[in-house]
Amino acid sequence: MRILALEREVPGVAASAFEPHLKAEAWRAWELTQAGVIREIYFRADRSDAVLILECPDLDAARAALGTLPLVREGLIAFDLIALVPYPGFARLFAP
């Protein structure tokens, strides 16, 4: 299942709290990418929030995978998850 993960701000977190964890965050994101869990990873153009496309069996598996990221584990960031399904509209092009 494809899942869209949108980072959201955790209120009250100081910008300086991120720095000690950024290298470990990048390593864990790399590991999840190599494992096929993270399929795509971006930052929004209008602010520095991450946007990830995940491949997981379900939302619980996605939450568990994201929970292994150091910034999530430390309570510095959180994600909203949206399950995605394939677009069915192309079938209309070939219907009799």
Side-chain angles (χ1 to χ4, degrees), residues 14-85:
S16 61
F18 290 83
E19 183 60 37
H21 308 286
L22 294 179
K23 187 171 184 178
E25 181 81 358
W27 272 114
R28 186 61 188 142
W30 170 251
E31 291 170 345
L32 290 171
T33 299
Q34 292 303 297
V37 174
I38 295 177
R39 293 299 182 105
E40 300 176 49
I41 185 167
Y42 304 96
F43 276 110
R44 290 179 50 156
D46 61 339
R47 59 184 197 230
S48 63
D49 290 348
V51 176
L52 290 71
I53 303 290
L54 306 175
E55 184 71 38
C56 294
D58 53 39
L59 290 172
D60 288 336
R63 274 188 210 91
L66 291 172
T68 67
L69 292 168
L71 294 179
V72 174
R73 200 173 52 240
E74 294 294 324
L76 303 175
I77 63 172
F79 284 93
D80 290 325
L81 301 180
I82 302 167
L84 304 174
V85 296

